[in-house]
Amino acid sequence: MLRSCRLSQRGTSLLDLTVSMAVAAVMTMICLAQWDPGSVELSVAHQEIRGSLEQAFSLARARGSNVTVALGQASGAGEHLPVQLSRRIKWGKPAQIPLPPGMDAPAVATRTGEAHPILTVTPRHTALASTWFLNDGQEALCMRLSGQGRLQVLRWRRDRQKWVRA
């Protein structure tokens, strides 16, 4: 009996190690199959726009003058903060994705994604109200900026088939 205890304390056998590695490989493959790089890029786009708006509001307050934020390919006269997005992220809402609940169909934003490609924010933390859609072909973001400078972000989750707060 003492001898069998010593053998079991020596470690694992080659068979145990092989089975463990095979299970780990299968689990890794399952996780990689479910990983969606577009979903990550939408999250990055969300943070990029949110960060640019926060920076613009801070600059406007510090300078005491309006600051503009250029979205997408927009350009304008004067100084503005450009927002750079991944090439895989597209403006607009794909036709197969419905509008968020209670939202009237926007004339421009649904089609092109940009209602106002250049935003102006003020030192009083106000902005021109606007709505944008971004998508990766599978999921989408709906970003709404109120006149009081409040940004609301909803995300279309294809796995749940509904809009959720992002």
Side-chain angles (χ1 to χ4, degrees):
M1 171 131 166
L2 183 60
R3 185 160 199 230
S4 65
C5 288
R6 284 185 188 160
L7 288 177
S8 66
Q9 291 176 349
R10 282 189 173 167
T12 59
S13 70
L14 183 58
L15 179 61
D16 292 337
L17 181 64
T18 303
V19 170
S20 298
M21 293 302 289
V23 169
V26 168
M27 295 301 289
T28 301
M29 293 303 292
I30 290 171
C31 290
L32 286 175
Q34 293 178 355
W35 184 63
D36 184 3
S39 180
V40 171
E41 288 176 337
L42 271 179
S43 295
V44 169
H46 169 200
Q47 294 306 318
E48 179 72 23
I49 290 175
R50 183 177 294 281
S52 294
L53 283 170
E54 288 173 7
Q55 182 181 10
F57 281 120
S58 294
L59 279 173
R61 192 172 30 256
R63 292 180 181 172
S65 62
N66 295 350
V67 173
T68 58
V69 179
L71 303 173
Q73 300 300 318
S75 62
E79 185 179 358
H80 60 270
L81 299 173
V83 175
Q84 301 296 322
L85 302 176
S86 166
R87 292 181 196 176
R88 293 183 186 174
I89 300 299
K90 299 166 196 70
W91 290 99
K93 181 185 73 58
Q96 74 270 17
I97 297 176
L99 286 170
M103 183 176 182
D104 293 331
V108 179
T110 303
R111 215 174 47 251
T112 65
E114 301 176 74
H116 302 282
I118 297 179
L119 295 173
T120 301
V121 300
T122 69
R124 294 182 149 187
H125 207 273
T126 61
L128 177 63
S130 193
T131 301
W132 314 274
F133 288 93
L134 298 171
N135 75 83
D136 65 1
Q138 304 289 324
E139 293 192 357
L141 288 178
C142 174
M143 304 183 91
R144 295 190 249 187
L145 183 65
S146 73
Q148 292 78 36
R150 184 175 157 265
L151 183 66
Q152 178 192 29
V153 182
L154 299 173
R155 185 175 185 141
W156 172 257
R157 302 299 298 236
R158 71 172 177 218
D159 56 342
R160 299 183 198 170
Q161 293 293 300
K162 71 178 191 176
W163 289 96
V164 296
R165 285 188 182 262

